[in-house]
Amino acid sequence: MKIIAGKLKGKKLVTLDGLDTRPTLNRIKENIFNIMTNYCDFDNKIVVDLFTGSGNLVIESLSRGAKFAYANDINIAAYKIIKQNLLACNLQNDSKLTNLDYQTFSKTLNSKCDILLIDPPFANITCQQWILDYFVNNDLLNDNAIIMLETNVPLDNLQLNF
């Protein structure tokens, strides 16, 4: 897995062995970032990733100019991989890494974000509504914030109350 654009383009990242995390493949990540780039410039943006995995999306965002990233993963092995990747990319001062469940993590945030990344493990696919409600009700999204939500289920019942 590599960073595909920005100041860290080509930098290889370490990923967690096994199926506990699902690193976003480079071609999928490229498509995600191409779509997001149509709506925002990453310069000086604040990124929040509730289920960070390897740090792939956070590091890609920072490589493209994001100002700061909050990275969180409850899995201690993933947390260690993220920390390793952030250090290898010299991004420890541009990020805050935590090892909390998504609700506790969300409740620790005290600043708004511009980009919210929600890519939970498939075993936790019911959390999206709580996250969206929490971020909206607690004014944690800047105007024109982008929410990237990855899931393996239809979102027909998801309520977007913005």
Side-chain angles (χ1 to χ4, degrees), residues 1-3 8 10-16 26 29 54-60 81-82 84-86 88-89 91:
M1 177 158 316
K2 292 181 182 178
I3 300 302
L8 296 170
K11 181 77 173 168
K12 290 184 181 182
L13 300 178
V14 179
T15 60
L16 193 61
N26 283 339
K29 179 174 63 169
S54 64
N56 185 16
L57 299 178
V58 161
I59 294 170
E60 186 73 43
I81 291 289
I82 300 161
Q84 181 181 345
N85 283 329
L86 288 170
C89 294
L91 295 172

CSV table of all heavy atoms in Angstrom, one decimal, residues 1-3 8 10-16 26 29 54-60 81-82 84-86 88-89 91:
chain,number,residue,atom,x,y,z
A,1,MET,N,0.8,-1.2,0.0
A,1,MET,CA,0.0,0.0,0.0
A,1,MET,C,0.9,1.2,0.0
A,1,MET,O,1.8,1.3,0.8
A,1,MET,CB,-0.9,0.0,1.2
A,1,MET,CG,-1.7,1.2,1.4
A,1,MET,SD,-3.1,0.9,2.4
A,1,MET,CE,-3.7,-0.7,1.8
A,2,LYS,N,0.6,2.2,-0.9
A,2,LYS,CA,1.4,3.4,-1.0
A,2,LYS,C,0.5,4.6,-1.0
A,2,LYS,O,-0.7,4.6,-1.3
A,2,LYS,CB,2.1,3.4,-2.4
A,2,LYS,CG,3.1,2.4,-2.6
A,2,LYS,CD,3.8,2.5,-3.9
A,2,LYS,CE,4.8,1.5,-4.2
A,2,LYS,NZ,5.4,1.6,-5.5
A,3,ILE,N,1.1,5.7,-0.6
A,3,ILE,CA,0.5,7.1,-0.7
A,3,ILE,C,0.5,7.4,-2.2
A,3,ILE,O,1.5,7.3,-2.9
A,3,ILE,CB,1.2,8.1,0.1
A,3,ILE,CG1,1.2,7.7,1.6
A,3,ILE,CG2,0.6,9.5,-0.1
A,3,ILE,CD1,-0.2,7.5,2.2
A,8,LEU,N,4.0,13.1,0.2
A,8,LEU,CA,4.4,11.7,0.5
A,8,LEU,C,4.2,10.7,-0.6
A,8,LEU,O,4.2,9.5,-0.3
A,8,LEU,CB,3.7,11.3,1.8
A,8,LEU,CG,4.1,12.1,3.1
A,8,LEU,CD1,3.2,11.7,4.2
A,8,LEU,CD2,5.5,12.0,3.5
A,10,GLY,N,4.2,7.9,-3.1
A,10,GLY,CA,5.1,6.8,-3.2
A,10,GLY,C,5.5,6.1,-1.9
A,10,GLY,O,6.0,5.1,-1.9
A,11,LYS,N,5.2,6.8,-0.8
A,11,LYS,CA,5.6,6.3,0.5
A,11,LYS,C,4.8,5.0,0.8
A,11,LYS,O,3.6,5.0,0.7
A,11,LYS,CB,5.3,7.3,1.6
A,11,LYS,CG,5.7,6.9,3.0
A,11,LYS,CD,7.2,7.0,3.2
A,11,LYS,CE,7.5,6.7,4.7
A,11,LYS,NZ,8.9,6.5,4.9
A,12,LYS,N,5.5,3.9,1.2
A,12,LYS,CA,4.9,2.7,1.5
A,12,LYS,C,4.4,2.7,2.9
A,12,LYS,O,5.1,3.2,3.8
A,12,LYS,CB,5.8,1.5,1.2
A,12,LYS,CG,6.1,1.3,-0.2
A,12,LYS,CD,7.0,0.1,-0.5
A,12,LYS,CE,7.2,-0.1,-1.9
A,12,LYS,NZ,8.0,-1.3,-2.2
A,13,LEU,N,3.2,2.1,3.1
A,13,LEU,CA,2.7,2.0,4.5
A,13,LEU,C,2.6,0.5,4.9
A,13,LEU,O,2.4,-0.4,4.1
A,13,LEU,CB,1.3,2.6,4.5
A,13,LEU,CG,1.2,4.1,4.2
A,13,LEU,CD1,-0.3,4.5,4.2
A,13,LEU,CD2,2.0,4.9,5.1
A,14,VAL,N,2.7,0.3,6.2
A,14,VAL,CA,2.6,-1.1,6.7
A,14,VAL,C,1.1,-1.3,7.0
A,14,VAL,O,0.4,-0.4,7.5
A,14,VAL,CB,3.4,-1.2,8.1
A,14,VAL,CG1,3.3,-2.5,8.7
A,14,VAL,CG2,4.9,-0.8,7.8
A,15,THR,N,0.7,-2.5,6.8
A,15,THR,CA,-0.7,-2.8,7.1
A,15,THR,C,-0.8,-4.0,8.1
A,15,THR,O,0.2,-4.8,8.2
A,15,THR,CB,-1.5,-3.2,5.8
A,15,THR,OG1,-0.9,-4.3,5.2
A,15,THR,CG2,-1.6,-2.1,4.9
A,16,LEU,N,-1.9,-4.2,8.7
A,16,LEU,CA,-2.1,-5.2,9.7
A,16,LEU,C,-2.4,-6.5,8.9
A,16,LEU,O,-3.2,-6.6,8.0
A,16,LEU,CB,-3.3,-4.8,10.6
A,16,LEU,CG,-3.5,-5.6,11.8
A,16,LEU,CD1,-2.4,-5.5,12.8
A,16,LEU,CD2,-4.8,-5.1,12.5
A,26,ASN,N,-5.4,0.8,-3.3
A,26,ASN,CA,-5.0,2.0,-3.9
A,26,ASN,C,-6.0,2.5,-5.0
A,26,ASN,O,-6.2,3.7,-5.1
A,26,ASN,CB,-3.6,1.8,-4.5
A,26,ASN,CG,-2.5,1.9,-3.4
A,26,ASN,OD1,-2.7,2.4,-2.4
A,26,ASN,ND2,-1.4,1.3,-3.8
A,29,LYS,N,-8.9,4.0,-3.2
A,29,LYS,CA,-8.5,5.2,-2.5
A,29,LYS,C,-8.4,6.3,-3.5
A,29,LYS,O,-8.8,7.4,-3.3
A,29,LYS,CB,-7.2,5.0,-1.7
A,29,LYS,CG,-6.7,6.2,-1.0
A,29,LYS,CD,-5.5,5.9,-0.2
A,29,LYS,CE,-4.3,5.5,-1.0
A,29,LYS,NZ,-3.1,5.4,-0.2
A,54,SER,N,-5.0,1.2,9.1
A,54,SER,CA,-3.6,1.4,9.0
A,54,SER,C,-3.1,2.8,9.0
A,54,SER,O,-1.9,3.1,9.0
A,54,SER,CB,-3.2,0.7,7.6
A,54,SER,OG,-3.7,1.4,6.6
A,55,GLY,N,-4.1,3.7,8.9
A,55,GLY,CA,-3.7,5.2,8.7
A,55,GLY,C,-3.7,5.6,7.3
A,55,GLY,O,-3.4,6.8,7.0
A,56,ASN,N,-4.0,4.7,6.4
A,56,ASN,CA,-3.9,5.0,5.0
A,56,ASN,C,-4.7,6.2,4.5
A,56,ASN,O,-4.1,7.1,3.9
A,56,ASN,CB,-4.5,3.7,4.3
A,56,ASN,CG,-4.4,3.7,2.8
A,56,ASN,OD1,-3.7,4.5,2.2
A,56,ASN,ND2,-5.2,2.9,2.1
A,57,LEU,N,-5.9,6.4,4.9
A,57,LEU,CA,-6.7,7.5,4.5
A,57,LEU,C,-6.3,8.8,5.1
A,57,LEU,O,-6.3,9.9,4.5
A,57,LEU,CB,-8.2,7.3,4.6
A,57,LEU,CG,-8.8,6.1,3.9
A,57,LEU,CD1,-10.3,5.9,4.2
A,57,LEU,CD2,-8.6,6.3,2.4
A,58,VAL,N,-5.9,8.7,6.4
A,58,VAL,CA,-5.5,9.9,7.2
A,58,VAL,C,-4.1,10.4,6.6
A,58,VAL,O,-4.0,11.6,6.4
A,58,VAL,CB,-5.3,9.5,8.7
A,58,VAL,CG1,-4.4,10.5,9.4
A,58,VAL,CG2,-6.7,9.5,9.3
A,59,ILE,N,-3.2,9.5,6.3
A,59,ILE,CA,-1.9,9.9,5.8
A,59,ILE,C,-2.1,10.4,4.4
A,59,ILE,O,-1.4,11.4,4.0
A,59,ILE,CB,-0.9,8.7,5.9
A,59,ILE,CG1,-0.6,8.4,7.4
A,59,ILE,CG2,0.4,9.0,5.2
A,59,ILE,CD1,0.1,7.1,7.7
A,60,GLU,N,-2.9,9.8,3.6
A,60,GLU,CA,-3.2,10.4,2.3
A,60,GLU,C,-3.7,11.8,2.4
A,60,GLU,O,-3.3,12.7,1.6
A,60,GLU,CB,-4.2,9.5,1.5
A,60,GLU,CG,-4.4,9.8,0.1
A,60,GLU,CD,-3.2,9.5,-0.8
A,60,GLU,OE1,-2.6,8.4,-0.7
A,60,GLU,OE2,-2.9,10.4,-1.7
A,81,ILE,N,0.1,-0.1,14.4
A,81,ILE,CA,0.4,0.0,12.9
A,81,ILE,C,0.3,1.5,12.5
A,81,ILE,O,1.1,2.0,11.8
A,81,ILE,CB,-0.4,-0.9,12.0
A,81,ILE,CG1,-0.1,-2.4,12.3
A,81,ILE,CG2,-0.3,-0.5,10.6
A,81,ILE,CD1,1.3,-2.8,11.7
A,82,ILE,N,-0.8,2.1,12.9
A,82,ILE,CA,-1.1,3.5,12.6
A,82,ILE,C,0.1,4.4,13.2
A,82,ILE,O,0.6,5.2,12.5
A,82,ILE,CB,-2.4,4.0,13.2
A,82,ILE,CG1,-3.6,3.2,12.6
A,82,ILE,CG2,-2.6,5.5,12.9
A,82,ILE,CD1,-4.9,3.3,13.4
A,84,GLN,N,3.1,3.5,13.9
A,84,GLN,CA,4.3,3.2,13.1
A,84,GLN,C,4.3,4.0,11.8
A,84,GLN,O,5.3,4.6,11.4
A,84,GLN,CB,4.4,1.7,12.9
A,84,GLN,CG,5.6,1.2,12.1
A,84,GLN,CD,5.6,-0.3,11.9
A,84,GLN,OE1,4.9,-1.0,12.5
A,84,GLN,NE2,6.5,-0.7,11.0
A,85,ASN,N,3.1,4.0,11.1
A,85,ASN,CA,3.0,4.7,9.8
A,85,ASN,C,3.1,6.2,10.0
A,85,ASN,O,3.8,6.8,9.2
A,85,ASN,CB,1.7,4.3,9.1
A,85,ASN,CG,1.8,2.9,8.5
A,85,ASN,OD1,2.9,2.5,8.0
A,85,ASN,ND2,0.7,2.2,8.4
A,86,LEU,N,2.5,6.7,11.0
A,86,LEU,CA,2.6,8.2,11.2
A,86,LEU,C,4.0,8.6,11.5
A,86,LEU,O,4.5,9.6,11.0
A,86,LEU,CB,1.7,8.6,12.4
A,86,LEU,CG,0.2,8.6,12.1
A,86,LEU,CD1,-0.6,8.7,13.4
A,86,LEU,CD2,-0.2,9.6,11.0
A,88,ALA,N,6.8,6.9,10.6
A,88,ALA,CA,7.6,6.7,9.4
A,88,ALA,C,7.4,7.9,8.4
A,88,ALA,O,8.3,8.2,7.6
A,88,ALA,CB,7.2,5.4,8.7
A,89,CYS,N,6.2,8.5,8.4
A,89,CYS,CA,5.9,9.6,7.5
A,89,CYS,C,6.2,11.0,8.2
A,89,CYS,O,5.9,12.0,7.6
A,89,CYS,CB,4.4,9.5,7.1
A,89,CYS,SG,4.1,8.1,6.1
A,91,LEU,N,4.6,12.4,10.7
A,91,LEU,CA,3.3,13.1,10.8
A,91,LEU,C,2.8,13.1,12.2
A,91,LEU,O,1.6,13.5,12.4
A,91,LEU,CB,2.3,12.5,9.9
A,91,LEU,CG,2.6,12.6,8.4
A,91,LEU,CD1,1.6,11.8,7.6
A,91,LEU,CD2,2.6,14.1,8.0
